Amino acid sequence: MKRNLFFSKDINKTLVKYNSDINIVGSIPDYHLIIKALPILNRDADELYKILVKENEFNLRTEKSRKRFMNALSSAFVHEEREINDFTSRVMESDEINQDSKIIFLFWLFSINNRLFKEVNKHVFFKYYYMGRAELPAADVQAFLKDFISTKPELKSQWSEETVKTIASKYLTLLKKMNLLEGSRKKSFCFVTISDELIACLIHLYTLLGQQNSNFLEHEFASWMFISKESILERFKRLGKRDWIKMHYTGDSLKVESNFNNKNIIDGIFRRS
């Protein structure tokens, strides 16, 4: 059965450049390191530099790789809005939230912060996912990237065909590490289940980004729930009954926002659920 397609509304207008952070994030050996490091970085970058680069508590082999890891964390997962970083830290540090849910949260955060990752997700990953395709071929990711880069003069002059091939490969590796794809040579889609608690976290991100007056049904965040468009309203009704979100539905427009602030959301959702 085919999954529904979604429309998209841009949330990355403040991001001015495309970059190859996909390569670096795809090369991080263990994403639990990101979960551990992000709250430290959001609190005090100097403290993380001391722990990560100087003392090598994360056991990364060379100083160059440690610095690359720290730079990638800042570029890929730290937002310009302090409240988003504060919420991220609370999610990453919570003992109430399991590791798989934290990694899905990282997928959302990287999608928000990185324009290229968001574009490939929208035009390839989610397009194929909601079509009901079984596999995500590397050749299709490469083809999209080549076509996309050909429309961006600033990228076309800098990124070789080999760079594009590497980005496509690291993109698939990244999604596998985030438990969204599986397989070695051929990558197949995983069945992704997002809990009500994690959906409430997504809506909190949505609210912190100031998107609550948008029609959620036409927003790119709708696809990030990994469920059909018809199922969204029912899930939100369930969350609304628990007072986790506020919603207003008019028949063709759905507006939704978080019912929490950063200080009470973890207790309000995970410890009372």
Side-chain angles (χ1 to χ4, degrees), residues 80-103:
E80 61 183 9
E81 293 292 337
R82 183 182 58 80
E83 283 196 335
I84 291 177
N85 298 329
D86 175 63
F87 179 46
T88 296
S89 295
R90 291 174 187 273
V91 170
M92 296 299 118
E93 291 181 316
S94 174
D95 293 331
E96 311 295 329
I97 305 174
N98 64 44
Q99 298 295 300
D100 288 345
S101 294
K102 290 178 181 180
I103 289 175

mmCIF file with all atom_site columns, all heavy atoms in Angstrom, residues 80-103:
data_model
loop_
_atom_site.group_PDB
_atom_site.id
_atom_site.type_symbol
_atom_site.label_atom_id
_atom_site.label_alt_id
_atom_site.label_comp_id
_atom_site.label_asym_id
_atom_site.label_entity_id
_atom_site.label_seq_id
_atom_site.pdbx_PDB_ins_code
_atom_site.Cartn_x
_atom_site.Cartn_y
_atom_site.Cartn_z
_atom_site.occupancy
_atom_site.B_iso_or_equiv
_atom_site.pdbx_formal_charge
_atom_site.auth_seq_id
_atom_site.auth_comp_id
_atom_site.auth_asym_id
_atom_site.auth_atom_id
_atom_site.pdbx_PDB_model_num
ATOM 1   N N   . GLU A 1 80  ? 20.734 28.280 15.903 1.00 0.00 ? 80  GLU A N   1
ATOM 2   C CA  . GLU A 1 80  ? 20.936 29.683 16.281 1.00 0.00 ? 80  GLU A CA  1
ATOM 3   C C   . GLU A 1 80  ? 20.001 30.123 17.408 1.00 0.00 ? 80  GLU A C   1
ATOM 4   O O   . GLU A 1 80  ? 20.268 31.105 18.096 1.00 0.00 ? 80  GLU A O   1
ATOM 5   C CB  . GLU A 1 80  ? 20.749 30.589 15.067 1.00 0.00 ? 80  GLU A CB  1
ATOM 6   C CG  . GLU A 1 80  ? 19.359 30.510 14.455 1.00 0.00 ? 80  GLU A CG  1
ATOM 7   C CD  . GLU A 1 80  ? 19.224 31.353 13.208 1.00 0.00 ? 80  GLU A CD  1
ATOM 8   O OE1 . GLU A 1 80  ? 20.244 31.861 12.715 1.00 0.00 ? 80  GLU A OE1 1
ATOM 9   O OE2 . GLU A 1 80  ? 18.098 31.480 12.727 1.00 0.00 ? 80  GLU A OE2 1
ATOM 10  N N   . GLU A 1 81  ? 18.903 29.384 17.618 1.00 0.00 ? 81  GLU A N   1
ATOM 11  C CA  . GLU A 1 81  ? 17.968 29.720 18.682 1.00 0.00 ? 81  GLU A CA  1
ATOM 12  C C   . GLU A 1 81  ? 18.364 28.984 19.965 1.00 0.00 ? 81  GLU A C   1
ATOM 13  O O   . GLU A 1 81  ? 18.399 27.764 20.007 1.00 0.00 ? 81  GLU A O   1
ATOM 14  C CB  . GLU A 1 81  ? 16.535 29.336 18.290 1.00 0.00 ? 81  GLU A CB  1
ATOM 15  C CG  . GLU A 1 81  ? 15.966 30.140 17.136 1.00 0.00 ? 81  GLU A CG  1
ATOM 16  C CD  . GLU A 1 81  ? 15.732 31.606 17.509 1.00 0.00 ? 81  GLU A CD  1
ATOM 17  O OE1 . GLU A 1 81  ? 15.583 31.886 18.723 1.00 0.00 ? 81  GLU A OE1 1
ATOM 18  O OE2 . GLU A 1 81  ? 15.716 32.440 16.589 1.00 0.00 ? 81  GLU A OE2 1
ATOM 19  N N   . ARG A 1 82  ? 18.645 29.733 21.009 1.00 0.00 ? 82  ARG A N   1
ATOM 20  C CA  . ARG A 1 82  ? 19.111 29.146 22.263 1.00 0.00 ? 82  ARG A CA  1
ATOM 21  C C   . ARG A 1 82  ? 18.102 28.183 22.859 1.00 0.00 ? 82  ARG A C   1
ATOM 22  O O   . ARG A 1 82  ? 18.468 27.156 23.431 1.00 0.00 ? 82  ARG A O   1
ATOM 23  C CB  . ARG A 1 82  ? 19.412 30.269 23.265 1.00 0.00 ? 82  ARG A CB  1
ATOM 24  C CG  . ARG A 1 82  ? 19.981 29.779 24.591 1.00 0.00 ? 82  ARG A CG  1
ATOM 25  C CD  . ARG A 1 82  ? 20.209 30.940 25.543 1.00 0.00 ? 82  ARG A CD  1
ATOM 26  N NE  . ARG A 1 82  ? 18.973 31.671 25.778 1.00 0.00 ? 82  ARG A NE  1
ATOM 27  C CZ  . ARG A 1 82  ? 18.025 31.280 26.626 1.00 0.00 ? 82  ARG A CZ  1
ATOM 28  N NH1 . ARG A 1 82  ? 18.154 30.156 27.302 1.00 0.00 ? 82  ARG A NH1 1
ATOM 29  N NH2 . ARG A 1 82  ? 16.929 32.004 26.801 1.00 0.00 ? 82  ARG A NH2 1
ATOM 30  N N   . GLU A 1 83  ? 16.806 28.489 22.738 1.00 0.00 ? 83  GLU A N   1
ATOM 31  C CA  . GLU A 1 83  ? 15.781 27.616 23.322 1.00 0.00 ? 83  GLU A CA  1
ATOM 32  C C   . GLU A 1 83  ? 15.775 26.228 22.677 1.00 0.00 ? 83  GLU A C   1
ATOM 33  O O   . GLU A 1 83  ? 15.484 25.232 23.339 1.00 0.00 ? 83  GLU A O   1
ATOM 34  C CB  . GLU A 1 83  ? 14.398 28.259 23.205 1.00 0.00 ? 83  GLU A CB  1
ATOM 35  C CG  . GLU A 1 83  ? 14.151 29.356 24.218 1.00 0.00 ? 83  GLU A CG  1
ATOM 36  C CD  . GLU A 1 83  ? 12.675 29.693 24.327 1.00 0.00 ? 83  GLU A CD  1
ATOM 37  O OE1 . GLU A 1 83  ? 11.932 29.467 23.350 1.00 0.00 ? 83  GLU A OE1 1
ATOM 38  O OE2 . GLU A 1 83  ? 12.270 30.176 25.392 1.00 0.00 ? 83  GLU A OE2 1
ATOM 39  N N   . ILE A 1 84  ? 16.068 26.159 21.390 1.00 0.00 ? 84  ILE A N   1
ATOM 40  C CA  . ILE A 1 84  ? 16.134 24.863 20.713 1.00 0.00 ? 84  ILE A CA  1
ATOM 41  C C   . ILE A 1 84  ? 17.311 24.056 21.250 1.00 0.00 ? 84  ILE A C   1
ATOM 42  O O   . ILE A 1 84  ? 17.201 22.852 21.504 1.00 0.00 ? 84  ILE A O   1
ATOM 43  C CB  . ILE A 1 84  ? 16.214 25.047 19.195 1.00 0.00 ? 84  ILE A CB  1
ATOM 44  C CG1 . ILE A 1 84  ? 14.883 25.596 18.673 1.00 0.00 ? 84  ILE A CG1 1
ATOM 45  C CG2 . ILE A 1 84  ? 16.564 23.732 18.494 1.00 0.00 ? 84  ILE A CG2 1
ATOM 46  C CD1 . ILE A 1 84  ? 14.855 25.892 17.198 1.00 0.00 ? 84  ILE A CD1 1
ATOM 47  N N   . ASN A 1 85  ? 18.447 24.730 21.461 1.00 0.00 ? 85  ASN A N   1
ATOM 48  C CA  . ASN A 1 85  ? 19.609 24.038 22.019 1.00 0.00 ? 85  ASN A CA  1
ATOM 49  C C   . ASN A 1 85  ? 19.347 23.583 23.452 1.00 0.00 ? 85  ASN A C   1
ATOM 50  O O   . ASN A 1 85  ? 19.778 22.494 23.857 1.00 0.00 ? 85  ASN A O   1
ATOM 51  C CB  . ASN A 1 85  ? 20.837 24.950 21.964 1.00 0.00 ? 85  ASN A CB  1
ATOM 52  C CG  . ASN A 1 85  ? 21.205 25.337 20.544 1.00 0.00 ? 85  ASN A CG  1
ATOM 53  O OD1 . ASN A 1 85  ? 20.982 24.575 19.607 1.00 0.00 ? 85  ASN A OD1 1
ATOM 54  N ND2 . ASN A 1 85  ? 21.750 26.519 20.373 1.00 0.00 ? 85  ASN A ND2 1
ATOM 55  N N   . ASP A 1 86  ? 18.649 24.398 24.209 1.00 0.00 ? 86  ASP A N   1
ATOM 56  C CA  . ASP A 1 86  ? 18.296 24.017 25.577 1.00 0.00 ? 86  ASP A CA  1
ATOM 57  C C   . ASP A 1 86  ? 17.397 22.780 25.575 1.00 0.00 ? 86  ASP A C   1
ATOM 58  O O   . ASP A 1 86  ? 17.606 21.831 26.345 1.00 0.00 ? 86  ASP A O   1
ATOM 59  C CB  . ASP A 1 86  ? 17.591 25.186 26.275 1.00 0.00 ? 86  ASP A CB  1
ATOM 60  C CG  . ASP A 1 86  ? 17.090 24.819 27.659 1.00 0.00 ? 86  ASP A CG  1
ATOM 61  O OD1 . ASP A 1 86  ? 17.912 24.506 28.534 1.00 0.00 ? 86  ASP A OD1 1
ATOM 62  O OD2 . ASP A 1 86  ? 15.852 24.823 27.869 1.00 0.00 ? 86  ASP A OD2 1
ATOM 63  N N   . PHE A 1 87  ? 16.413 22.764 24.689 1.00 0.00 ? 87  PHE A N   1
ATOM 64  C CA  . PHE A 1 87  ? 15.516 21.610 24.588 1.00 0.00 ? 87  PHE A CA  1
ATOM 65  C C   . PHE A 1 87  ? 16.283 20.374 24.146 1.00 0.00 ? 87  PHE A C   1
ATOM 66  O O   . PHE A 1 87  ? 16.086 19.271 24.679 1.00 0.00 ? 87  PHE A O   1
ATOM 67  C CB  . PHE A 1 87  ? 14.377 21.929 23.617 1.00 0.00 ? 87  PHE A CB  1
ATOM 68  C CG  . PHE A 1 87  ? 13.398 20.802 23.421 1.00 0.00 ? 87  PHE A CG  1
ATOM 69  C CD1 . PHE A 1 87  ? 12.886 20.097 24.498 1.00 0.00 ? 87  PHE A CD1 1
ATOM 70  C CD2 . PHE A 1 87  ? 12.981 20.443 22.145 1.00 0.00 ? 87  PHE A CD2 1
ATOM 71  C CE1 . PHE A 1 87  ? 11.979 19.055 24.315 1.00 0.00 ? 87  PHE A CE1 1
ATOM 72  C CE2 . PHE A 1 87  ? 12.084 19.402 21.953 1.00 0.00 ? 87  PHE A CE2 1
ATOM 73  C CZ  . PHE A 1 87  ? 11.582 18.709 23.040 1.00 0.00 ? 87  PHE A CZ  1
ATOM 74  N N   . THR A 1 88  ? 17.174 20.546 23.171 1.00 0.00 ? 88  THR A N   1
ATOM 75  C CA  . THR A 1 88  ? 18.005 19.429 22.718 1.00 0.00 ? 88  THR A CA  1
ATOM 76  C C   . THR A 1 88  ? 18.782 18.818 23.875 1.00 0.00 ? 88  THR A C   1
ATOM 77  O O   . THR A 1 88  ? 18.833 17.590 24.039 1.00 0.00 ? 88  THR A O   1
ATOM 78  C CB  . THR A 1 88  ? 18.980 19.900 21.627 1.00 0.00 ? 88  THR A CB  1
ATOM 79  O OG1 . THR A 1 88  ? 18.242 20.317 20.481 1.00 0.00 ? 88  THR A OG1 1
ATOM 80  C CG2 . THR A 1 88  ? 19.948 18.795 21.228 1.00 0.00 ? 88  THR A CG2 1
ATOM 81  N N   . SER A 1 89  ? 19.389 19.665 24.688 1.00 0.00 ? 89  SER A N   1
ATOM 82  C CA  . SER A 1 89  ? 20.171 19.174 25.826 1.00 0.00 ? 89  SER A CA  1
ATOM 83  C C   . SER A 1 89  ? 19.302 18.402 26.799 1.00 0.00 ? 89  SER A C   1
ATOM 84  O O   . SER A 1 89  ? 19.717 17.349 27.325 1.00 0.00 ? 89  SER A O   1
ATOM 85  C CB  . SER A 1 89  ? 20.851 20.346 26.551 1.00 0.00 ? 89  SER A CB  1
ATOM 86  O OG  . SER A 1 89  ? 21.806 20.969 25.707 1.00 0.00 ? 89  SER A OG  1
ATOM 87  N N   . ARG A 1 90  ? 18.104 18.888 27.045 1.00 0.00 ? 90  ARG A N   1
ATOM 88  C CA  . ARG A 1 90  ? 17.197 18.204 27.969 1.00 0.00 ? 90  ARG A CA  1
ATOM 89  C C   . ARG A 1 90  ? 16.819 16.822 27.435 1.00 0.00 ? 90  ARG A C   1
ATOM 90  O O   . ARG A 1 90  ? 16.731 15.849 28.190 1.00 0.00 ? 90  ARG A O   1
ATOM 91  C CB  . ARG A 1 90  ? 15.950 19.050 28.221 1.00 0.00 ? 90  ARG A CB  1
ATOM 92  C CG  . ARG A 1 90  ? 16.221 20.322 29.022 1.00 0.00 ? 90  ARG A CG  1
ATOM 93  C CD  . ARG A 1 90  ? 14.997 21.215 29.128 1.00 0.00 ? 90  ARG A CD  1
ATOM 94  N NE  . ARG A 1 90  ? 15.327 22.481 29.752 1.00 0.00 ? 90  ARG A NE  1
ATOM 95  C CZ  . ARG A 1 90  ? 15.330 22.712 31.070 1.00 0.00 ? 90  ARG A CZ  1
ATOM 96  N NH1 . ARG A 1 90  ? 14.989 21.727 31.891 1.00 0.00 ? 90  ARG A NH1 1
ATOM 97  N NH2 . ARG A 1 90  ? 15.655 23.891 31.550 1.00 0.00 ? 90  ARG A NH2 1
ATOM 98  N N   . VAL A 1 91  ? 16.579 16.743 26.123 1.00 0.00 ? 91  VAL A N   1
ATOM 99  C CA  . VAL A 1 91  ? 16.242 15.450 25.518 1.00 0.00 ? 91  VAL A CA  1
ATOM 100 C C   . VAL A 1 91  ? 17.427 14.489 25.602 1.00 0.00 ? 91  VAL A C   1
ATOM 101 O O   . VAL A 1 91  ? 17.292 13.326 25.993 1.00 0.00 ? 91  VAL A O   1
ATOM 102 C CB  . VAL A 1 91  ? 15.799 15.636 24.050 1.00 0.00 ? 91  VAL A CB  1
ATOM 103 C CG1 . VAL A 1 91  ? 15.686 14.291 23.341 1.00 0.00 ? 91  VAL A CG1 1
ATOM 104 C CG2 . VAL A 1 91  ? 14.466 16.373 23.984 1.00 0.00 ? 91  VAL A CG2 1
ATOM 105 N N   . MET A 1 92  ? 18.621 14.984 25.235 1.00 0.00 ? 92  MET A N   1
ATOM 106 C CA  . MET A 1 92  ? 19.800 14.118 25.218 1.00 0.00 ? 92  MET A CA  1
ATOM 107 C C   . MET A 1 92  ? 20.184 13.632 26.619 1.00 0.00 ? 92  MET A C   1
ATOM 108 O O   . MET A 1 92  ? 20.699 12.522 26.776 1.00 0.00 ? 92  MET A O   1
ATOM 109 C CB  . MET A 1 92  ? 20.994 14.861 24.586 1.00 0.00 ? 92  MET A CB  1
ATOM 110 C CG  . MET A 1 92  ? 20.823 15.231 23.122 1.00 0.00 ? 92  MET A CG  1
ATOM 111 S SD  . MET A 1 92  ? 20.587 13.815 22.024 1.00 0.00 ? 92  MET A SD  1
ATOM 112 C CE  . MET A 1 92  ? 18.948 14.156 21.363 1.00 0.00 ? 92  MET A CE  1
ATOM 113 N N   . GLU A 1 93  ? 19.942 14.433 27.633 1.00 0.00 ? 93  GLU A N   1
ATOM 114 C CA  . GLU A 1 93  ? 20.357 14.078 29.001 1.00 0.00 ? 93  GLU A CA  1
ATOM 115 C C   . GLU A 1 93  ? 19.291 13.304 29.775 1.00 0.00 ? 93  GLU A C   1
ATOM 116 O O   . GLU A 1 93  ? 19.578 12.780 30.848 1.00 0.00 ? 93  GLU A O   1
ATOM 117 C CB  . GLU A 1 93  ? 20.722 15.345 29.783 1.00 0.00 ? 93  GLU A CB  1
ATOM 118 C CG  . GLU A 1 93  ? 21.988 16.017 29.288 1.00 0.00 ? 93  GLU A CG  1
ATOM 119 C CD  . GLU A 1 93  ? 22.360 17.260 30.076 1.00 0.00 ? 93  GLU A CD  1
ATOM 120 O OE1 . GLU A 1 93  ? 21.466 18.077 30.367 1.00 0.00 ? 93  GLU A OE1 1
ATOM 121 O OE2 . GLU A 1 93  ? 23.549 17.408 30.406 1.00 0.00 ? 93  GLU A OE2 1
ATOM 122 N N   . SER A 1 94  ? 18.097 13.212 29.244 1.00 0.00 ? 94  SER A N   1
ATOM 123 C CA  . SER A 1 94  ? 17.008 12.571 29.982 1.00 0.00 ? 94  SER A CA  1
ATOM 124 C C   . SER A 1 94  ? 17.173 11.055 30.041 1.00 0.00 ? 94  SER A C   1
ATOM 125 O O   . SER A 1 94  ? 17.355 10.397 29.020 1.00 0.00 ? 94  SER A O   1
ATOM 126 C CB  . SER A 1 94  ? 15.665 12.918 29.338 1.00 0.00 ? 94  SER A CB  1
ATOM 127 O OG  . SER A 1 94  ? 14.626 12.195 29.963 1.00 0.00 ? 94  SER A OG  1
ATOM 128 N N   . ASP A 1 95  ? 17.055 10.509 31.243 1.00 0.00 ? 95  ASP A N   1
ATOM 129 C CA  . ASP A 1 95  ? 17.063 9.057  31.412 1.00 0.00 ? 95  ASP A CA  1
ATOM 130 C C   . ASP A 1 95  ? 15.714 8.441  31.045 1.00 0.00 ? 95  ASP A C   1
ATOM 131 O O   . ASP A 1 95  ? 15.599 7.219  30.938 1.00 0.00 ? 95  ASP A O   1
ATOM 132 C CB  . ASP A 1 95  ? 17.401 8.696  32.866 1.00 0.00 ? 95  ASP A CB  1
ATOM 133 C CG  . ASP A 1 95  ? 18.829 9.064  33.237 1.00 0.00 ? 95  ASP A CG  1
ATOM 134 O OD1 . ASP A 1 95  ? 19.695 9.075  32.341 1.00 0.00 ? 95  ASP A OD1 1
ATOM 135 O OD2 . ASP A 1 95  ? 19.084 9.350  34.432 1.00 0.00 ? 95  ASP A OD2 1
ATOM 136 N N   . GLU A 1 96  ? 14.693 9.284  30.872 1.00 0.00 ? 96  GLU A N   1
ATOM 137 C CA  . GLU A 1 96  ? 13.355 8.805  30.557 1.00 0.00 ? 96  GLU A CA  1
ATOM 138 C C   . GLU A 1 96  ? 13.187 8.495  29.073 1.00 0.00 ? 96  GLU A C   1
ATOM 139 O O   . GLU A 1 96  ? 12.228 7.837  28.667 1.00 0.00 ? 96  GLU A O   1
ATOM 140 C CB  . GLU A 1 96  ? 12.305 9.863  30.954 1.00 0.00 ? 96  GLU A CB  1
ATOM 141 C CG  . GLU A 1 96  ? 12.459 10.432 32.359 1.00 0.00 ? 96  GLU A CG  1
ATOM 142 C CD  . GLU A 1 96  ? 12.230 9.395  33.429 1.00 0.00 ? 96  GLU A CD  1
ATOM 143 O OE1 . GLU A 1 96  ? 11.428 8.470  33.189 1.00 0.00 ? 96  GLU A OE1 1
ATOM 144 O OE2 . GLU A 1 96  ? 12.857 9.492  34.502 1.00 0.00 ? 96  GLU A OE2 1
ATOM 145 N N   . ILE A 1 97  ? 14.116 8.988  28.253 1.00 0.00 ? 97  ILE A N   1
ATOM 146 C CA  . ILE A 1 97  ? 14.011 8.847  26.796 1.00 0.00 ? 97  ILE A CA  1
ATOM 147 C C   . ILE A 1 97  ? 15.023 7.817  26.325 1.00 0.00 ? 97  ILE A C   1
ATOM 148 O O   . ILE A 1 97  ? 16.219 7.915  26.636 1.00 0.00 ? 97  ILE A O   1
ATOM 149 C CB  . ILE A 1 97  ? 14.246 10.202 26.097 1.00 0.00 ? 97  ILE A CB  1
ATOM 150 C CG1 . ILE A 1 97  ? 13.287 11.265 26.649 1.00 0.00 ? 97  ILE A CG1 1
ATOM 151 C CG2 . ILE A 1 97  ? 14.087 10.071 24.589 1.00 0.00 ? 97  ILE A CG2 1
ATOM 152 C CD1 . ILE A 1 97  ? 13.535 12.656 26.114 1.00 0.00 ? 97  ILE A CD1 1
ATOM 153 N N   . ASN A 1 98  ? 14.577 6.826  25.556 1.00 0.00 ? 98  ASN A N   1
ATOM 154 C CA  . ASN A 1 98  ? 15.494 5.774  25.125 1.00 0.00 ? 98  ASN A CA  1
ATOM 155 C C   . ASN A 1 98  ? 16.412 6.260  24.000 1.00 0.00 ? 98  ASN A C   1
ATOM 156 O O   . ASN A 1 98  ? 16.176 7.290  23.369 1.00 0.00 ? 98  ASN A O   1
ATOM 157 C CB  . ASN A 1 98  ? 14.730 4.504  24.733 1.00 0.00 ? 98  ASN A CB  1
ATOM 158 C CG  . ASN A 1 98  ? 13.820 4.699  23.540 1.00 0.00 ? 98  ASN A CG  1
ATOM 159 O OD1 . ASN A 1 98  ? 14.181 5.316  22.536 1.00 0.00 ? 98  ASN A OD1 1
ATOM 160 N ND2 . ASN A 1 98  ? 12.608 4.170  23.625 1.00 0.00 ? 98  ASN A ND2 1
ATOM 161 N N   . GLN A 1 99  ? 17.468 5.489  23.769 1.00 0.00 ? 99  GLN A N   1
ATOM 162 C CA  . GLN A 1 99  ? 18.502 5.888  22.805 1.00 0.00 ? 99  GLN A CA  1
ATOM 163 C C   . GLN A 1 99  ? 17.963 5.991  21.382 1.00 0.00 ? 99  GLN A C   1
ATOM 164 O O   . GLN A 1 99  ? 18.334 6.904  20.638 1.00 0.00 ? 99  GLN A O   1
ATOM 165 C CB  . GLN A 1 99  ? 19.664 4.887  22.849 1.00 0.00 ? 99  GLN A CB  1
ATOM 166 C CG  . GLN A 1 99  ? 20.372 4.807  24.191 1.00 0.00 ? 99  GLN A CG  1
ATOM 167 C CD  . GLN A 1 99  ? 21.076 6.092  24.573 1.00 0.00 ? 99  GLN A CD  1
ATOM 168 O OE1 . GLN A 1 99  ? 21.964 6.560  23.868 1.00 0.00 ? 99  GLN A OE1 1
ATOM 169 N NE2 . GLN A 1 99  ? 20.693 6.675  25.692 1.00 0.00 ? 99  GLN A NE2 1
ATOM 170 N N   . ASP A 1 100 ? 17.088 5.063  20.988 1.00 0.00 ? 100 ASP A N   1
ATOM 171 C CA  . ASP A 1 100 ? 16.533 5.110  19.635 1.00 0.00 ? 100 ASP A CA  1
ATOM 172 C C   . ASP A 1 100 ? 15.743 6.393  19.404 1.00 0.00 ? 100 ASP A C   1
ATOM 173 O O   . ASP A 1 100 ? 15.812 6.990  18.317 1.00 0.00 ? 100 ASP A O   1
ATOM 174 C CB  . ASP A 1 100 ? 15.638 3.895  19.386 1.00 0.00 ? 100 ASP A CB  1
ATOM 175 C CG  . ASP A 1 100 ? 16.430 2.606  19.245 1.00 0.00 ? 100 ASP A CG  1
ATOM 176 O OD1 . ASP A 1 100 ? 17.667 2.676  19.061 1.00 0.00 ? 100 ASP A OD1 1
ATOM 177 O OD2 . ASP A 1 100 ? 15.821 1.522  19.321 1.00 0.00 ? 100 ASP A OD2 1
ATOM 178 N N   . SER A 1 101 ? 14.986 6.821  20.410 1.00 0.00 ? 101 SER A N   1
ATOM 179 C CA  . SER A 1 101 ? 14.218 8.060  20.286 1.00 0.00 ? 101 SER A CA  1
ATOM 180 C C   . SER A 1 101 ? 15.142 9.272  20.194 1.00 0.00 ? 101 SER A C   1
ATOM 181 O O   . SER A 1 101 ? 14.884 10.209 19.433 1.00 0.00 ? 101 SER A O   1
ATOM 182 C CB  . SER A 1 101 ? 13.271 8.216  21.476 1.00 0.00 ? 101 SER A CB  1
ATOM 183 O OG  . SER A 1 101 ? 12.275 7.221  21.462 1.00 0.00 ? 101 SER A OG  1
ATOM 184 N N   . LYS A 1 102 ? 16.232 9.252  20.945 1.00 0.00 ? 102 LYS A N   1
ATOM 185 C CA  . LYS A 1 102 ? 17.196 10.353 20.888 1.00 0.00 ? 102 LYS A CA  1
ATOM 186 C C   . LYS A 1 102 ? 17.836 10.442 19.502 1.00 0.00 ? 102 LYS A C   1
ATOM 187 O O   . LYS A 1 102 ? 18.084 11.541 18.998 1.00 0.00 ? 102 LYS A O   1
ATOM 188 C CB  . LYS A 1 102 ? 18.268 10.171 21.965 1.00 0.00 ? 102 LYS A CB  1
ATOM 189 C CG  . LYS A 1 102 ? 17.741 10.386 23.382 1.00 0.00 ? 102 LYS A CG  1
ATOM 190 C CD  . LYS A 1 102 ? 18.812 10.143 24.436 1.00 0.00 ? 102 LYS A CD  1
ATOM 191 C CE  . LYS A 1 102 ? 18.234 10.334 25.835 1.00 0.00 ? 102 LYS A CE  1
ATOM 192 N NZ  . LYS A 1 102 ? 19.240 10.117 26.898 1.00 0.00 ? 102 LYS A NZ  1
ATOM 193 N N   . ILE A 1 103 ? 18.076 9.295  18.886 1.00 0.00 ? 103 ILE A N   1
ATOM 194 C CA  . ILE A 1 103 ? 18.685 9.299  17.551 1.00 0.00 ? 103 ILE A CA  1
ATOM 195 C C   . ILE A 1 103 ? 17.703 9.815  16.506 1.00 0.00 ? 103 ILE A C   1
ATOM 196 O O   . ILE A 1 103 ? 18.093 10.544 15.580 1.00 0.00 ? 103 ILE A O   1
ATOM 197 C CB  . ILE A 1 103 ? 19.226 7.900  17.211 1.00 0.00 ? 103 ILE A CB  1
ATOM 198 C CG1 . ILE A 1 103 ? 20.468 7.612  18.073 1.00 0.00 ? 103 ILE A CG1 1
ATOM 199 C CG2 . ILE A 1 103 ? 19.576 7.784  15.732 1.00 0.00 ? 103 ILE A CG2 1
ATOM 200 C CD1 . ILE A 1 103 ? 21.039 6.224  17.937 1.00 0.00 ? 103 ILE A CD1 1
#
